[in-house]
Structures are given as structure tokens and as C-alpha cells.
Amino acid sequence: MPPVLHVARRADWEAAQASGTYPIPGGGPFIHCCFPDQLAGVLARFFAGADDLLQLTIDPRGLPLVVEPAEDGAGDFPHLHDGLPVASVVDVRPV
């Protein structure tokens, strides 16, 4: 599987570092992720005008990631149906 990315708000990532787990945001059913070639579209669609965002690069090995089609037909995206262990994040960059 190629690298998996997640866009996080800085405050949420900082809180996750203290607890060891990045929770599913907003109580949703999963953590929305994307592949590197999908990042620009995700940022444009869901984070336009947002600031203080981070790009988390996730090592998918051992995680219950499922690649599923988007409801609007925008393609297949990886979803994590559990909290993300901080130790599975291999790189963090400002967006």
C-alpha cells in the first residue's frame, strides 16, 4: 500500500501526542485519509481557507485501514475505522 495521509488540525494532533492516540474526529465512523495523489483535491474540497493544518504521513502496516469508495464517486479513499496510534505517524508537515 502506498503512503497514507491524513490532514489534521494542529491542536488535535498536539492533543493526540499527549494521549498516544489520534481519535476519530467529530465522533464520525472513521478517520478520513487519502493517498498522496489525492491530497490536493482533499485540501481544496474540505479545507479551503483553513489554516494551522498538518499533513500526517501514516505507516499503514498493522492498521485496520479499508479502501472504500467516496459517497460522491470522487474515488477510493483509505479510511481508518479506529483511533490512529501516534507511533504509526512517520512524518508531520505543515500544509
Side-chain angles (χ1 to χ4, degrees), residues 5-8 39 53-57 89 91-95:
L5 307 177
H6 173 70
V7 178
L39 180 62
L53 299 175
L54 299 172
Q55 171 191 308
L56 308 181
T57 301
V89 176
D91 189 42
V92 178
R93 300 171 187 235
V95 172

Side-chain angles (χ1 to χ4, degrees), residues 14 18 24 34 54 63 70 72:
E14 289 171 355
I24 296 173
C34 66
L54 299 172
L63 295 178
D72 63 0

Side-chain angles (χ1 to χ4, degrees), residues 44-64:
R45 243 172 108 200
F46 299 108
F47 296 99
D51 58 1
D52 221 13
L53 299 175
L54 299 172
Q55 171 191 308
L56 308 181
T57 301
I58 301 165
D59 178 355
R61 291 177 289 188
L63 295 178

Side-chain angles (χ1 to χ4, degrees), residues 13-43:
W13 175 242
E14 289 171 355
Q17 288 178 311
S19 72
T21 302
Y22 180 88
I24 296 173
F30 49 78
I31 295 175
H32 295 267
C33 300
C34 66
F35 296 115
D37 64 331
Q38 297 171 317
L39 180 62
V42 168
L43 290 170

